Amino acid sequence: MESYCGIVTATPKSILVVGGGIVGLTSAWRLAREGYRVSVVDPAPGRGATWAAAGMIAPHAEVAPGEGANFELQRQALSAWQLLSNELAAVVERRIEIGVTGTVLTGWDAGDRRLVEQFRLVATGFGVNSALARRESHPEIFAGLSDRISSGLLLDGDAWLDPDEAVSVLCQGLTTVGVEFITQKVHTIEGDRSGVRVHFDAGSQSADVGILATGAFGLPHGATPTGEHAVRPVRGMTVRIDGIDRSNAPTLRCFVRGRPFYMVSRPGGYCVIGASSEERSGPLIEVGELQRLLRDALDVVPEIETSTLLETRVGLRPASTNLEPFLEVWPERRWAWSSGHFRHGVTLAPLTSRDVVGFVNEMTK
Ligand SMILES: Cc1cc2nc3c(=O)[nH]c(=O)nc-3n(C[C@H](O)[C@H](O)[C@H](O)COP(=O)(O)OP(=O)(O)OC[C@H]3O[C@@H](n4cnc5c(N)ncnc54)[C@H](O)[C@@H]3O)c2cc1C
């Protein structure tokens, strides 16, 4: 039995993780902690949907009719992320900062305020506590917002992290504990009871068990989905700006002319505003799409006018048929496919990684 930085490697079986988004990286971390020899294969780790994500861990602001199971799962996510952040800090002396600021949900016009009220009723049905905050009683929450917005719904316990930071700390942690990164796109996979193999342009690699964590991207050749699950891309754009620090206030969400708008603020003035949502793929940003988001942002937070535009990002949310994540296992081929995290992949990744470990343990016992 070997031990490295307190991590026990009792089972030197090898695992291939295809896809180094937040789901693949957290799975790789949990597998490495369990003592497996892990390789992550991805031409650009962290540059899929994870790259565009705002990083909200916001079960209370995300309640939606019909998504009860997902909501219960999301409620466990904050402590799972805190644990993961502590584990990584013990290895790389860097922490994934997690801000537990809650959410304030507001509406721009009368129709939008009705949407807030509808949301409140759904949230109450889910057992979520919310409180009405008014500008007079909570000036710090409404500072910098349009005068038109005089009240909002406060939702406790929601949090955020920075996906860029999470990817960076995870990659550093994984490298430190000996996880291999192969920066290649896998075009074919194979597998049978004796093990798995992946093929990429520069060669191939074998292992005992394989995990496909390719988000909304198409599966490599040789994958054998049962047909029980399917994933479709739901495209989203976020805009990064600098110059407004609301990191001590609840994360801002607002319905604006019927569209959802959010602004996640981090210490120092870095903010993510978002997000568009369309049932299509494609990396290009239409001028009108950007204009709509910025118009909503400027209406709700007028001081954005003097902030600096840093970057626009696009990602494909991996949406399953029932909008819930899944782990589809192909035991006779020693592969499992983890996807379908849709709007909540950052939130749910550390929980998914436990299911991945369960599958791998089963395959290697
Ligand atoms: C605009 C936007 C905002 C979002 N905001 C939030 C949020 O605030 N909170 C939240 O919880 N979630 C959010 N999400 C959702 C979240 O980003 C996704 O659910 C999550 O990133 C999915 O992670 P993943 O690892 O499954 O996929 P991805 O991050 O897409 O990673 C898949 C990886 O697989 C790799 N890959 C694909 N095919 C192959 C192959 N053949 N060989 C090798 N590698 C391959 C890709 O290069 C990629 O790195 C948001 C998404 C978007 C688009």
Side-chain angles (χ1 to χ4, degrees), residues 50-290:
T50 304
W51 183 64
M56 289 175 286
I57 305 168
H60 301 124
E62 282 288 318
V63 294
E67 294 186 22
N70 202 336
F71 167 68
E72 291 304 333
L73 204 55
Q74 286 185 63
R75 285 180 104 171
Q76 303 165 38
L78 177 56
S79 55
W81 266 110
Q82 286 164 332
L83 178 69
L84 179 58
S85 177
N86 290 342
E87 286 174 1
L88 283 158
V91 173
V92 297
E93 291 175 18
R94 276 176 76 201
R95 192 166 279 289
I96 300 169
E97 184 181 1
I98 298 169
V100 188
T101 53
T103 301
V104 61
L105 175 66
T106 64
W108 174 247
D109 60 25
D112 295 318
R113 286 190 287 279
R114 275 197 295 278
L115 291 176
V116 175
E117 176 55 14
Q118 282 168 16
F119 172 90
R120 191 187 68 76
L121 293 174
V122 174
T124 304
F126 277 73
V128 173
N129 288 327
S130 60
L132 186 70
R134 295 194 181 281
R135 189 181 277 269
E136 311 82 74
S137 53
H138 295 79
E140 70 292 353
I141 292 178
F142 295 89
L145 304 193
S146 162
D147 290 344
R148 264 176 90 143
I149 297 174
S150 58
S151 67
L153 211 55
L154 274 183
L155 302 157
D156 279 343
D158 285 347
W160 50 258
L161 55 72
D162 180 350
D164 288 355
E165 183 177 64
V167 166
S168 166
V169 175
L170 272 161
C171 287
Q172 189 183 348
L174 289 167
T175 307
T176 306
V177 300
V179 171
E180 175 190 26
F181 279 87
I182 302 171
T183 48
Q184 294 284 320
K185 178 176 178 178
V186 170
H187 49 75
T188 307
I189 66 165
E190 297 170 38
D192 58 29
R193 291 192 177 279
S194 64
V196 298
R197 196 168 183 79
V198 297
H199 300 277
F200 35 80
D201 282 349
S204 56
Q205 177 106 347
S206 301
D208 293 301
V209 182
I211 304 297
L212 284 171
T214 49
F217 296 79
L219 291 172
H221 293 296
T224 52
T226 60
E228 189 189 343
H229 299 105
V231 173
R232 65 180 202 280
V234 179
R235 186 183 166 287
M237 175 195 60
T238 47
V239 173
R240 320 268 150 160
I241 60 168
D242 184 42
I244 298 176
D245 190 341
R246 283 180 51 89
S247 57
N248 288 323
T251 293
L252 175 64
R253 293 211 183 201
C254 189
F255 291 111
V256 191
R257 294 172 276 267
R259 286 188 295 272
F261 163 80
Y262 57 70
M263 179 166 128
V264 187
S265 181
R266 311 222 159 86
Y270 180 79
C271 297
V272 181
I273 60 177
S276 60
S277 182
E278 295 170 279
E279 296 273 344
R280 67 174 174 103
S281 54
L284 300 180
I285 294 171
E286 289 170 5
V287 172
E289 173 189 19
L290 181 60

